């Protein structure tokens, strides 16, 4: 029997829920069975626990709430860390202005609310809920969030890592691993799971002189996260190499592998790359989410006019369409979206890739393997005998590949490929520099699109914004486009990890070749002349496309300036 039980019995008697005899009997049973009077009354059927809580809540001016069937927003749940919610046995239910309302089972526990106000640095009010429903809600909303790399590292001890047999247990297959497996296995799984939850595209594990740094690339920007102790470096790297099916004995040369894993019902492929460094092997894992293949052209960031132009280009029956940009600018994603758009049963599509990043239904995908002589050129020569309608080449890297691509386009095939150039007109010069004859480039190329990726404004913390004078000076004459515009930026919230940005979209520069441009290419003119002609024909530059998206309120001026500093209008 608790200290508050007498007070609770008095309240229940005063509101007529129980009689004096029932109160005396409940007091006696609670003392004999060492239970709380609420449990004794509810267990004996004298009164329901919910009615008891309503009476107590009413006494303290609090409301009662039913958590069963309630859907609490993730933004509200994120306001209370998992360890705090479990320690105080509370569930945040909603927020209004600077007040957070939490559900608790004991309305007499005023210390809980005081403690939460101090920890969360905000006003906290309470509502009363059944303890059973709070337990269910804690599991529902915090089960997946509770296990984090940081909490795992806090729980791990030196003895758990160094005990005999822990390194041998790293060899356990993923399908055979259990809750009793080595902590390293669980830690590696958590690193991958947290990266997926954070929408990371890459995981970087970098050995330093005195630390083992872990970083996630989220929306194109690297963020450092809680790093494991240096002493765990060898075990973590070995575990990842085993999962990727690459040699743990070889540490002198770069290696590549793949990890296939299921995270919260999603099938993920992780492309693993290892490189020897001064203080150990550096590992980078590219997260390939198969569901991202469902991207359509509007999701890439096209405005309607650019989308119509691009759809017209990819609907052609022959010719080369090139997508250009630096590494990490989304070229491969754009090509897959194109293939997804034109993938029909009456068309045979074959791709040549290094590596095959995504498996696509209805498309024949060929993996380049230079170690056995299966180069881009060798693969292309073979697939042309397969009578395809459409060919996708991962990248044009050399003259042989370029010539086969050009010849394929001139013999009635539609060819998609990528090049590493900064803008669209420069791709023409790059093809000629590789060694392709100017007249072949002019005859085969239909359109070239350069692209970059910018971060989108987080919709949950979007706010009006006035650009600084420095930003306007960087824009130069283009600043006039923003004079009457309402600009926005992200303030920062838990949903976007307080960056103000969530997700990315493309900026596009589409260069459609006509007869006049082809004549210029045939005469081997320079990139600047081609760019000047493209601008006369109506080509919108990357920065101009970016400014349109700034005015539309989907990205920020800072982001556009960041990725288009080299743009020459």
């Amino acid at each position: 029997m608790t200290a508050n039980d007498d007070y609770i019995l008095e309240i229940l008697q005063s509101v007529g829920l129980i009689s004096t005899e029932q109160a005396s009997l409940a007091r006696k049973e609670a003392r004999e069975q060492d239970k709380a009077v609420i449990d004794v009354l509810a267990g004996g059927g004298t009164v329901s626990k919910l009615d008891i809580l309503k009476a107590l809540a009413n006494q303290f001016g609090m409301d009662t709430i039913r958590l069963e069937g309630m859907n609490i927003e993730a933004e509200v749940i994120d306001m209370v860390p998992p360890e705090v919610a479990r320690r105080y046995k509370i569930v945040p239910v909603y927020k209004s202005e600077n007040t957070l309302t939490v559900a608790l089972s004991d309305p007499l526990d005023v210390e809980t609310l005081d403690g939460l106000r101090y920890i969360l640095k905000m006003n906290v009010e309470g509502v009363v809920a059944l303890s059973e429903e709070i337990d269910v809600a804690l599991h529902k909303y915090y089960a997946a969030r509770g296990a984090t790399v940081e909490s795992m590292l806090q729980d791990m001890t030196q003895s758990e890592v160094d005990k005999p047999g822990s390194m041998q247990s790293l060899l356990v297959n993923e399908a055979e691993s259990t809750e009793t497996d080595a902590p390293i296995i669980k830690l590696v799984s958590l690193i991958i799971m947290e990266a997926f939850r954070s929408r990371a595209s890459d995981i970087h594990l970098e050995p330093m002189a005195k630390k083992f740094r872990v970083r996630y690339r989220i929306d194109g920007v690297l963020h450092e996260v809680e790093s494991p102790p240096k002493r765990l470096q060898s075990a973590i790297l070995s575990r990842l190499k085993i999962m990727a099916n690459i040699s743990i004995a070889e540490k002198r040369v770069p290696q590549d592998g793949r990890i296939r894993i299921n995270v919260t019902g999603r099938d993920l492929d992780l492309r693993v790359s290892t490189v020897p460094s001064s203080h150990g092997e550096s590992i980078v894992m590219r997260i390939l989410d198969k569901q991202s293949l469902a991207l359509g052209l509007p999701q890439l960031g096209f405005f309607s006019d650019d989308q119509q132009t691009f759809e017209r280009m990819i609907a052609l029956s022959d010719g080369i369409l090139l997508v250009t940009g630096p590494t990490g600018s989304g070229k491969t994603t754009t090509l897959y979206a194109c293939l997804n758009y034109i993938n029909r049963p009456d068309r045979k599509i074959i791709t040549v890739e290094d590596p095959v990043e995504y498996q696509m239904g209805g498309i024949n995908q060929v993996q380049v393997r230079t170690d056995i002589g299966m180069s881009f050129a060798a693969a292309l020569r073979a697939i042309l005998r397969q009578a395809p309608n459409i060919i996708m080449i991962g990248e044009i890297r050399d003259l042989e590949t370029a010539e086969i691509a050009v010849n394929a386009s001139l013999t009635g095939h539609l060819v998609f490929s990528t090049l590493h150039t900064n803008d669209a007109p420069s791709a023409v010069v790059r093809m000629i520099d590789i060694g392709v004859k100017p007249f072949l480039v002019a005859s085969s190329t239909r359109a070239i699109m350069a692209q970059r990726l910018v971060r989108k404004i987080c919709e949950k913390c979007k706010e009006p914004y006035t650009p600084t004078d420095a930003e306007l000076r960087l824009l130069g004459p283009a600043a006039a486009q923003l004079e009457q515009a309402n600009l926005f930026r992200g303030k920062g919230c838990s949903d976007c990890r307080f960056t103000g940005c969530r997700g990315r979209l493309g900026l596009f520069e589409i260069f459609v070749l006509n007869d006049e441009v082809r004549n210029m290419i045939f005469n081997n003119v320079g990139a600047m002349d081609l760019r000047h002609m493209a601008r006369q024909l109506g080509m919108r530059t990357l920065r101009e496309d970016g400014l349109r998206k700034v005015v539309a309120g989907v990205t920020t001026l800072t982001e556009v300036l960041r990725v288009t500093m080299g743009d020459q209008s």
Side-chain angles (χ1 to χ4, degrees):
M1 185 167 174
T2 65
N4 291 321
D5 281 351
D6 284 333
Y7 183 50
I8 292 173
L9 290 172
E10 288 179 12
I11 293 174
L12 297 180
Q13 288 181 75
S14 67
V15 297
L17 278 179
I18 60 174
S19 64
T20 306
E21 292 77 13
Q22 289 173 325
S24 300
L25 182 61
R27 186 180 292 108
K28 180 181 177 182
E29 290 184 9
R31 191 175 294 113
E32 291 174 352
Q33 300 175 19
D34 194 23
K35 288 184 177 180
V37 292
I38 292 179
D39 294 330
V40 171
L41 291 169
T46 305
V47 63
S48 72
K49 186 176 287 189
L50 184 59
D51 287 337
I52 296 173
L53 290 180
K54 285 181 178 179
L56 296 176
N58 186 61
Q59 185 72 19
F60 289 94
M62 299 171 69
D63 294 325
T64 55
I65 191 172
R66 294 301 304 270
L67 296 178
E68 185 179 5
M70 187 177 182
N71 189 22
I72 304 172
E73 294 182 0
E75 183 179 1
V76 176
I77 291 294
D78 288 339
M79 295 182 71
V80 180
E83 60 274 13
V84 174
R86 289 195 179 91
R87 186 197 315 160
Y88 289 97
K89 198 178 177 182
I90 58 95
V91 176
V93 288
Y94 45 82
K95 178 183 180 297
S96 59
E97 297 181 355
N98 194 39
T99 299
L100 177 67
T101 302
V102 301
L104 68 166
S105 60
D106 186 359
L108 281 73
D109 187 7
V110 294
E111 293 181 358
T112 289
L113 297 178
D114 290 338
L116 289 171
R117 292 184 187 107
Y118 177 78
I119 292 172
L120 302 177
K121 301 294 187 288
M122 65 186 307
N123 186 37
V124 178
E125 294 183 352
V127 292
V128 183
L130 292 168
S131 59
E132 295 83 356
E133 293 188 2
I134 290 178
D135 290 337
V136 172
L138 284 172
H139 179 76
K140 175 182 177 181
Y141 294 107
Y142 287 110
R145 298 163 188 256
T148 63
V149 174
E150 184 173 0
S151 62
M152 180 77 179
L153 291 173
Q154 291 173 350
D155 293 339
M156 289 177 65
T157 63
Q158 179 73 38
S159 60
E160 282 183 302
V161 179
D162 296 340
K163 66 184 179 182
S166 61
M167 283 302 295
Q168 286 83 348
S169 63
L170 293 178
L171 301 174
V172 177
N173 290 329
E174 197 70 28
E176 299 172 358
S177 62
T178 67
E179 288 297 320
T180 58
D181 288 334
I184 295 296
I185 294 179
K186 299 176 186 176
L187 178 57
V188 169
S189 297
L190 281 174
I191 290 173
I192 296 172
M193 189 176 295
E194 270 204 1
F196 174 72
R197 289 179 193 150
S198 302
R199 303 176 295 103
S201 59
D202 304 272
I203 305 172
H204 295 249
L205 298 102
E206 303 160 316
M208 303 291 166
K210 295 183 179 180
K211 67 181 293 188
F212 181 43
R213 184 167 67 177
V214 178
R215 294 191 289 176
Y216 298 156
R217 188 180 295 278
I218 303 171
D219 294 333
V221 178
L222 283 170
H223 298 268
E224 187 167 353
V225 298
E226 181 72 17
S227 298
K230 181 72 173 177
R231 59 186 168 82
L232 302 183
Q233 173 181 310
S234 177
I236 291 173
L237 295 180
S238 295
R239 173 60 182 165
L240 286 170
K241 291 174 73 174
I242 290 166
M243 292 174 69
N245 198 28
I246 56 182
S247 173
I248 62 172
E250 181 57 74
K251 300 180 180 179
R252 301 165 298 172
V253 297
Q255 298 184 83
D256 295 303
R258 294 185 85 108
I259 297 174
R260 289 179 172 82
I261 191 171
N262 186 282
V263 177
T264 62
R266 300 269 289 269
D267 290 326
L268 301 182
D269 276 354
L270 280 74
R271 196 174 74 202
V272 181
S273 171
T274 74
V275 173
S277 65
S278 301
H279 304 289
E281 288 180 284
S282 173
I283 290 185
V284 175
M285 294 182 285
R286 169 69 61 87
I287 301 175
L288 306 173
D289 182 5
K290 294 182 179 180
Q291 291 195 11
S292 65
L293 285 180
L295 280 179
L297 296 181
Q299 286 74 43
L300 295 177
F302 283 107
F303 278 150
S304 57
D305 52 351
D306 284 342
Q307 184 175 331
Q308 290 175 2
T309 301
F310 196 61
E311 287 177 355
R312 188 171 69 252
M313 292 298 103
I314 63 179
L316 296 173
S317 59
D318 58 20
I320 295 178
L321 276 75
L322 293 173
V323 180
T324 76
T327 301
S329 59
K331 301 186 297 297
T332 302
T333 301
T334 298
L335 288 181
Y336 276 117
C338 292
L339 296 181
N340 194 42
Y341 179 80
I342 60 178
N343 186 12
R344 299 203 304 262
D346 62 336
R347 294 179 174 179
K348 177 157 186 171
I349 303 174
I350 302 181
T351 72
V352 184
E353 305 171 64
D354 183 22
V356 175
E357 294 193 354
Y358 299 99
Q359 301 289 340
M360 296 187 69
I363 293 177
N364 303 277
Q365 295 174 271
V366 178
Q367 169 74 55
V368 169
R369 293 189 58 188
T370 54
D371 56 331
I372 59 172
M374 187 67 162
S375 62
F376 272 104
L380 282 170
R381 282 194 295 269
I383 67 173
L384 285 174
R385 293 191 287 273
Q386 297 280 312
N389 301 105
I390 298 164
I391 300 170
M392 193 269 272
I393 305 169
E395 182 184 347
I396 294 178
R397 302 178 178 177
D398 52 45
L399 176 58
E400 190 175 13
T401 303
E403 285 182 335
I404 295 173
V406 168
N407 290 332
S409 70
L410 293 175
T411 53
H413 303 86
L414 182 60
V415 180
F416 294 98
S417 191
T418 69
L419 276 178
H420 284 91
T421 62
N422 290 327
D423 62 359
S426 297
V428 172
V429 179
R430 173 66 178 146
M431 289 284 284
I432 295 172
D433 287 343
I434 288 175
V436 182
K437 302 295 184 185
F439 75 91
L440 290 175
V441 176
S443 302
S444 61
T445 308
R446 295 289 182 264
I448 304 165
M449 184 176 76
Q451 71 175 64
R452 299 289 190 278
L453 291 177
V454 293
R455 294 184 293 174
K456 294 193 292 185
I457 300 172
C458 175
E459 291 296 329
K460 291 194 175 181
C461 60
K462 195 172 182 179
E463 64 176 8
Y465 164 66
T466 302
T468 64
D469 292 338
E471 289 172 332
L472 295 175
R473 282 197 299 271
L474 286 172
L475 280 178
Q481 301 179 38
L482 306 179
E483 287 181 356
Q484 304 299 322
N486 296 319
L487 307 188
F488 297 90
R489 67 178 176 186
K491 183 179 180 180
C493 64
S494 59
D495 198 55
C496 62
R497 298 172 64 96
F498 300 96
T499 62
C501 303
R502 183 177 172 88
R504 289 192 290 176
L505 79 161
L507 306 184
F508 303 103
E509 180 178 278
I510 303 176
F511 180 24
V512 180
L513 281 66
N514 63 5
D515 291 339
E516 190 173 358
V517 173
R518 292 191 178 91
N519 187 55
M520 294 177 67
I521 297 172
F522 181 77
N523 292 321
N524 203 12
V525 301
M528 290 301 297
D529 291 331
L530 285 173
R531 186 172 181 82
H532 182 67
M533 174 56 69
R535 299 284 285 126
Q536 288 183 341
L537 295 174
M539 183 188 79
R540 189 179 295 109
T541 67
L542 290 167
R543 177 166 291 182
E544 288 171 344
D545 190 44
L547 291 179
R548 287 206 305 169
K549 286 160 185 172
V550 169
V551 173
V554 295
T555 189
T556 65
L557 182 58
T558 303
E559 276 293 295
V560 172
L561 288 172
R562 179 177 65 86
V563 301
T564 62
M565 286 303 293
D567 187 24
Q568 301 174 15
S569 299

